[in-house]
């Protein structure tokens, strides 16, 4: 099964048809380079495509794309 994480209106796991997946949870969302150094200190930003770690039933799946 192919999974993706829909970010809005809240993070949810969806299937290839765009439907919510029962018994699933978004555990973590990461973006590469999630903080940059500026003259005012470290600033968090959203950079790159990002990926999520999800739970579907008893399975943990990493590297799930965001949409």
């Amino acid at each position: 099964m192919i999974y993706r994480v829909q970010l809005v209106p809240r993070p949810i796991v969806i299937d290839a048809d765009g439907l919510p997946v029962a018994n699933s949870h978004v555990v973590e969302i990461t973006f590469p380079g999630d903080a940059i150094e500026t003259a005012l200190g470290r600033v968090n930003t959203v950079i790159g495509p990002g990926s999520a770690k999800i739970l579907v039933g008893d399975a943990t799946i990493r590297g799930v794309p965001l949409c």
Side-chain angles (χ1 to χ4, degrees):
M1 170 91 33
I2 296 173
Y3 299 109
R4 294 177 295 155
V5 171
Q6 178 178 301
L7 294 177
V8 291
R10 63 181 179 80
I12 60 169
V13 180
I14 58 174
D15 63 16
D17 296 324
L19 300 173
V21 177
N23 197 23
S24 66
H25 305 281
V26 178
V27 178
E28 176 181 89
I29 296 174
T30 57
F31 293 92
D34 66 341
I36 59 173
E37 290 294 334
T38 70
L40 299 174
R42 205 162 168 80
V43 176
N44 287 329
T45 60
V46 175
I47 300 173
S51 63
K53 179 170 72 172
I54 65 172
L55 298 176
V56 178
D58 293 333
T60 300
I61 305 168
R62 292 175 173 80
V64 176
L66 306 178
C67 65

